[in-house]
Amino acid sequence: MAFIIRFRLFPYKQRLSLIAFGMLCALLIACTSQEVPNESMETVDGIAKSSSLQENPKGGSITLLWADITTLDPHLVQDSRSAQIALEIFNGLVTYGNDMTIVPELASRWEISDGGTKYRFFLRDGITFHDGRQFTAHDVKASIERATDPALQSPTAATYLDDIVGVREKILGYDLNVVGVKVVGEQEITFELDEPKPYFLGKMTNPVAAVVDTTKGGGHTPLRSFNGTGPFMLDDWVTHKSIRLIRNDHYINNGPFIDAVVYVFDGDGMSMYENDEIDILELSAGHVKAMRDENNSLKDEMIIGQPAFQVAYIGLNVMDPPLDDLDLRRALFYAIDKEQIAITIKNGSVVPAYRILPPGFPSHSEDTVGLKYDLELAEEFISSSGYTQESGTAPSYELVMTLPGTTGMLSESFRFITNTWERELGVKVKVRQTEWEVYLQELNDKSLQMFGGISWNADYIDPHNFLDTLFHSESSMNHSAYESTTVDSVLEKARVEQDPEIRSALYQQAERIILRDVPVIPLWFPLDGGFLVKPKVQGYFVPPIPMQILKHVWVQQ
């Protein structure tokens, strides 16, 4: 699951170019063994760093204003806001470290053999579930079997576990078990892949690969008992209001340090922060500007982070007339003045997106450029499209764009876009809003003609997560129903290519073709984000992907 989100929850406070380079190298090296460091954590410049010298104090709690979630079941999670909390409760064999390299989690180490198609994981000793039950390799196997059970209907298993031999057959109902996952002993398990995939370990950090306690029920139904092995335990969940997590004192790694964390799902963020009702608040571009005023009493509590690996976009269902007309899609693309949106509407908090891969991400290239604003070309394409009637006038019917939400209010950005299309091209767009959970289901069903109001946020740092996941014709996350035999062929070559330069060139080639075919209209990439963080909160850091965060945080007493 790459995570679909309505807004960015966190910025990241480290140079993205260094992260991208480091991750690309790390993912493409066929390592033989990886050991768990026996260290504690300290924070330097807002990023948790390894140290054997610091022991952080335990105690205290923090409260965050959060968007409401859809589920805490890691095998059913589809959006980043839900995933972020689920990953504090459940964990998998591996995870991302604070430097964005993949490190062991439930595993102590792994070995790769058979040309990169066999992974043997050695599990840590002494791991228990939250209720005290011993964790073994059988739980890993049972969790993979549950995630791929066709009766569960996981929206992400087919995308993130399909490199494992037998997963496709299990999901399609041809086999009862995933033959590529084998328990070797209580503390050892092997995974067999269909081909050597450089990004496999990245996929294994995804919530769908997390271990759940299948002995508590929830085999092919959503979990009701959230008995995980992660750093925090679920203490209370008031639907649509709040979630409270408490520290797992038996967590296998250093931390967590805080006693509890509370996520509240509604309220006036600034008022809540000023009244000490919440400890961390994401700021709008307007608030960031206000906080920089020397006279603002909160200016010293603001931190600025660099952007997440994310792109906001409008999706176009290329199989749904009239959007099956390439000239119409190009006309819509050319007509959007992204510079004006970024500067005038977004107040410089974003940069125009003329490509899909975000800045600093592996294979991102400034030489890969999509269609830029050109009203004359937009008018030429709308005239040559089948959308315009023979008389030269626009048809009376409307396109339908679906956005998440129930307020009935259209954001200034989308009002600007739809007004431009009608004024300049004669294309009328009816905006439809629906609840977030319904919106996600309709995306999965590919039943939306146009969809917006979302961003795609990387959940593992590899171009496969954007280009293959969103645009390969067989991907369940290809919500635009886009099909290109050329793109499929290039992406399939990139999946198994071991040379970093060749692999990067293949992804850039695929991206150029996708941009030309316009199954989506990239809108913007986020710039530096601002947060207010209470001085008592220490060790807080903000990665570009959903991952465990709060196990590093402590409260200064």
Side-chain angles (χ1 to χ4, degrees):
M1 154 192 69
F3 297 90
I4 301 170
I5 58 179
R6 283 184 285 181
F7 50 84
R8 179 167 57 89
L9 296 176
F10 300 112
Y12 185 51
K13 301 165 68 179
Q14 190 164 336
R15 290 293 175 187
L16 299 185
S17 59
L18 294 178
I19 293 173
F21 176 77
M23 278 309 305
L24 186 58
C25 292
L27 289 175
L28 292 174
I29 294 174
C31 60
T32 58
S33 180
Q34 179 79 32
E35 296 285 352
V36 176
N38 183 19
E39 299 172 330
S40 59
M41 309 301 296
E42 66 179 2
T43 295
V44 181
D45 296 330
I47 302 294
K49 298 291 184 181
S50 297
S51 171
S52 58
L53 302 176
Q54 171 128 4
E55 181 63 34
N56 300 324
K58 290 188 176 182
S61 65
I62 63 171
T63 302
L64 304 90
L65 181 63
W66 207 257
D68 197 3
I69 67 170
T70 56
T71 180
L72 286 177
D73 188 329
H75 300 165
L76 296 175
V77 160
Q78 194 178 357
D79 62 291
S80 65
R81 57 193 179 169
S82 303
Q84 192 71 63
I85 302 179
L87 286 171
E88 301 289 356
I89 301 171
F90 302 95
N91 51 358
L93 295 172
V94 294
T95 188
Y96 276 103
N98 304 312
D99 60 356
M100 295 296 104
T101 57
I102 295 173
V103 297
E105 179 71 356
L106 293 175
S108 63
R109 62 188 177 92
W110 63 83
E111 295 176 351
I112 306 175
S113 59
D114 294 359
T117 61
K118 186 175 182 179
Y119 286 69
R120 180 186 292 260
F121 293 93
F122 301 84
L123 307 186
R124 298 187 194 226
D125 294 325
I127 299 175
T128 62
F129 285 92
H130 294 158
D131 67 353
R133 185 175 74 80
Q134 195 71 26
F135 160 80
T136 73
H138 296 283
D139 294 303
V140 179
K141 170 72 170 173
S143 296
I144 295 294
E145 296 291 357
R146 176 185 185 266
T148 55
D149 188 329
L152 182 64
Q153 296 185 326
S154 168
T156 57
T159 298
Y160 292 87
L161 301 176
D162 64 334
D163 303 305
I164 303 168
V165 171
V167 162
R168 293 187 189 91
E169 291 78 6
K170 171 75 180 287
I171 290 175
L172 292 173
Y174 299 149
D175 287 337
L176 295 177
N177 298 293
V178 177
V179 297
V181 180
K182 296 179 180 178
V183 174
V184 180
E186 293 294 297
Q187 301 300 113
E188 291 183 31
I189 190 166
T190 62
F191 287 73
E192 182 185 352
L193 309 188
D194 55 3
E195 295 178 290
K197 303 290 178 65
Y199 49 81
F200 172 67
L201 287 175
K203 282 188 170 184
M204 290 299 287
T205 68
N206 190 271
V208 76
V211 174
V212 302
D213 184 359
T214 58
T215 68
K216 297 289 187 180
H220 56 266
T221 58
L223 289 178
R224 294 189 178 182
S225 173
F226 300 92
N227 189 34
T229 53
F232 289 91
M233 303 183 290
L234 179 64
D235 181 53
D236 186 50
W237 183 1
V238 181
T239 306
H240 305 309
K241 290 182 181 281
S242 66
I243 283 179
R244 174 182 167 86
L245 306 181
I246 58 176
R247 182 174 66 234
N248 172 18
D249 287 322
H250 302 291
Y251 177 60
I252 42 81
N253 216 331
N254 188 52
F257 306 106
I258 54 177
D259 292 334
V261 55
V262 178
Y263 302 85
V264 293
F265 299 146
D266 192 25
D268 183 327
M270 186 57 70
S271 295
M272 295 173 75
Y273 187 85
E274 291 175 337
N275 292 327
D276 293 327
E277 297 174 42
I278 59 175
D279 301 300
I280 300 170
L281 173 66
E282 184 177 11
L283 297 170
S284 67
H287 277 133
V288 170
K289 183 177 181 180
M291 290 299 149
R292 286 187 167 131
D293 189 314
E294 286 298 319
N295 297 319
N296 195 307
S297 61
L298 295 176
K299 67 180 178 63
D300 292 335
E301 297 179 23
M302 184 176 72
I303 63 172
I304 296 294
Q306 294 203 15
F309 291 144
Q310 179 190 116
V311 59
Y313 65 98
I314 294 173
L316 310 175
N317 190 328
V318 301
M319 301 299 289
D320 192 335
L323 291 177
D324 58 344
D325 187 324
L326 177 57
D327 284 350
L328 172 59
R329 299 199 303 272
R330 287 178 174 172
L332 296 175
F333 200 136
Y334 275 123
I336 299 177
D337 188 344
K338 300 175 188 178
E339 295 281 352
Q340 185 170 345
I341 293 174
I343 296 171
T344 305
I345 299 176
K346 293 292 185 179
N347 298 311
S349 63
V350 302
V351 292
Y354 298 111
R355 55 195 65 83
I356 299 162
L357 297 175
F361 202 75
S363 298
H364 171 92
S365 173
E366 294 297 319
D367 294 332
T368 302
V369 179
L371 312 181
K372 290 192 173 184
Y373 174 65
D374 189 323
L375 199 52
E376 289 187 5
L377 277 177
E379 291 171 348
E380 289 180 18
F381 275 111
I382 196 66
S383 297
S384 62
S385 73
Y387 183 82
T388 304
Q389 296 175 346
E390 291 184 4
S391 62
T393 60
S396 58
Y397 60 84
E398 298 175 319
L399 300 178
V400 178
M401 180 188 294
T402 302
L403 305 175
T406 56
T407 64
M409 298 176 62
L410 191 60
S411 71
E412 188 175 355
S413 300
F414 281 92
R415 189 164 57 248
F416 171 81
I417 291 169
T418 55
N419 286 347
T420 298
W421 284 342
E422 182 171 2
R423 182 182 65 253
E424 303 295 344
L425 304 179
V427 175
K428 295 181 180 180
V429 177
K430 176 183 178 181
V431 176
R432 167 181 173 262
Q433 284 189 316
T434 185
E435 293 182 351
W436 180 238
E437 195 166 355
V438 175
Y439 182 88
L440 291 177
Q441 185 58 54
E442 291 179 339
L443 277 180
N444 293 337
D445 295 340
K446 297 180 174 59
S447 61
L448 301 180
Q449 186 177 53
M450 304 176 71
F451 48 94
I454 57 173
S455 296
W456 186 264
N457 194 94
D459 58 337
Y460 59 94
I461 306 174
D462 191 280
H464 178 279
N465 190 213
F466 277 86
L467 301 179
D468 204 308
T469 302
L470 287 175
F471 302 109
H472 192 282
S473 63
E474 295 182 359
S475 172
S476 62
M477 297 288 183
N478 180 354
H479 301 129
S480 297
Y482 173 67
E483 293 185 12
S484 167
T485 55
T486 302
V487 168
D488 283 355
S489 176
V490 174
L491 291 175
E492 287 161 13
K493 290 178 183 176
R495 289 176 185 175
V496 297
E497 178 57 57
Q498 303 300 307
D499 185 296
E501 292 187 5
I502 296 175
R503 189 164 183 263
S504 184
L506 287 169
Y507 280 120
Q508 290 167 5
Q509 178 186 353
E511 186 178 22
R512 287 192 295 270
I513 299 171
I514 294 165
L515 289 167
R516 181 194 67 196
D517 291 345
V518 199
V520 298
I521 302 176
L523 296 175
W524 57 76
F525 301 119
L527 273 177
D528 298 352
F531 275 72
L532 286 176
V533 179
K534 294 291 184 181
K536 70 175 184 178
V537 178
Q538 301 291 310
Y540 184 75
F541 78 107
V542 280
I545 58 175
M547 58 179 278
Q548 293 172 356
I549 294 175
L550 299 178
K551 66 182 180 183
H552 304 298
V553 173
W554 74 94
V555 173
Q556 196 169 46
Q557 303 295 332

